[in-house]
Amino acid sequence: MNDVVSANAGAYPIDGWGLLITVILVAVAAGMSFVMKLGVERRMLWATLRSLVQLLAMGYIIRFVIAWNNPWICFALIAVMIVAAVQITLTRASNIPKGLAPQVFLTLLVCVILQISVVIELIVRPKPWYAPAVLVTMAGMLLGNVVAATAVAMSRFFSDMKSRRYEVEMLLALGATPFEAAKPSIVSSVKMGMIPTISQLASSGIVLIPGMMAGQVIAGADPLTAAKYQFVVLAVISALTLIADSLIMVLVYRTSFTALDQYRAES
């Protein structure tokens, strides 16, 4: 049976025609949106073309990094990914104050360091320890999920704080600390940021075969091995997403208060 799996590895490559048909399918869906006046056709087409270009570019970059097999190049690429992730996070988050880039950067950096030190080096244990195929791809998967969750959590926090303005001011007047006054908003924001991640973790397997597992199986990997990798990735992403949401809340909640522990209405 292992011989059959090995023989099928890489047996289904996607050529240019496959990519073209995929884009045409998206164009048909966008056409339906136009006819039904849903208003998402432009964003859908733009997101599809942007995704194609970015993924192909990253594919060439990872191929180059794997060929060089140099740890410094790996970490340089991850550093660029983190910086880009900071910008994307700030762009996705709505109604947040300016100047939060350092907090977001620190949050993402901590998560990547935890992933590399715990997941890659203690669980996967690649050889060499900086194996680009593992290091870069797993960092990319983590950042993609953490960026989305962090943006949602920050947006929810500042929106919730504004809606609770009079409650927060009352709590402060009664002697509560800024953290105590902000805690309900912190809790609801972390929960909101975790909903997609927990839902994906809970539904994976019977209901959903995640992309990483599906891709490995299609490429000819042993399904059981692919399932183990997918579980590790989903479980770790869930844990690190919770850490990221909690950490970013601790780092940004003070921006809603002045140095005299008064609520900052313009936040």
Side-chain angles (χ1 to χ4, degrees):
M1 185 172 182
N2 290 334
D3 294 338
V4 174
V5 172
S6 299
N8 288 335
Y12 310 109
I14 297 178
D15 55 15
W17 283 108
L19 295 177
L20 179 60
I21 293 173
T22 303
V23 174
I24 291 175
L25 179 62
V26 175
V28 171
M32 292 178 60
S33 172
F34 177 77
V35 172
M36 298 176 66
K37 298 183 179 180
L38 301 179
V40 298
E41 58 275 1
R42 290 186 179 180
R43 284 183 295 169
M44 187 176 184
L45 287 172
W46 170 245
T48 300
L49 295 176
R50 179 176 175 177
S51 173
L52 175 61
V53 172
Q54 290 180 162
L55 286 172
L56 290 178
M58 181 56 73
Y60 281 111
I61 292 172
I62 293 177
R63 177 186 288 180
F64 167 78
V65 172
I66 292 175
W68 274 80
N69 197 30
N70 185 300
W72 294 110
I73 295 179
C74 289
F75 288 116
L77 177 57
I78 292 175
V80 172
M81 293 166 64
I82 293 175
V83 172
V86 171
Q87 179 60 36
I88 294 172
T89 302
L90 296 175
T91 302
R92 288 188 180 183
S94 58
N95 300 318
I96 64 173
K98 297 180 179 180
L100 297 183
Q103 293 92 324
V104 175
F105 176 80
L106 179 59
T107 299
L108 298 180
L109 180 62
V110 168
C111 288
V112 170
I113 291 175
L114 285 174
Q115 183 195 43
I116 293 174
S117 58
V118 177
V119 183
I120 296 178
E121 301 308 325
L122 296 182
I123 298 177
V124 180
R125 300 187 295 275
K127 295 180 181 179
W129 65 269
Y130 57 85
V134 178
L135 205 65
V136 175
T137 54
M138 283 200 163
M141 284 188 288
L142 170 70
L143 288 172
N145 285 270
V146 171
V147 161
T150 302
V152 169
M154 288 197 299
S155 299
R156 175 60 182 266
F157 173 75
F158 289 104
S159 174
D160 197 59
M161 286 292 289
K162 287 181 180 179
S163 66
R164 295 180 55 242
R165 173 182 176 179
Y166 298 111
E167 176 189 345
V168 170
E169 291 177 341
M170 181 189 68
L171 290 172
L172 293 173
L174 292 175
T177 65
F179 180 79
E180 290 171 338
K183 186 176 179 180
S185 298
I186 293 175
V187 172
S188 65
S189 300
V190 172
K191 287 182 178 179
M192 178 67 69
M194 288 299 298
I195 288 176
T197 303
I198 294 177
S199 298
Q200 184 182 30
L201 181 62
S203 62
S204 296
I206 301 299
V207 178
L208 168 69
I209 298 180
M212 180 179 179
M213 179 178 175
Q216 285 185 314
V217 172
I218 292 173
D222 176 32
L224 185 58
T225 300
K228 291 177 182 178
Y229 267 96
Q230 186 65 75
F231 167 73
V232 168
V233 169
L234 290 177
V236 167
I237 285 177
S238 297
L240 292 181
T241 299
L242 178 56
I243 292 174
D245 281 352
S246 302
L247 180 57
I248 194 64
M249 289 295 100
V250 171
L251 293 175
V252 305
Y253 86 91
R254 281 290 316 185
T255 61
S256 292
F257 302 91
T258 67
L260 298 176
D261 290 347
Q262 297 172 326
Y263 179 68
R264 195 189 304 272
E266 66 271 16
S267 65

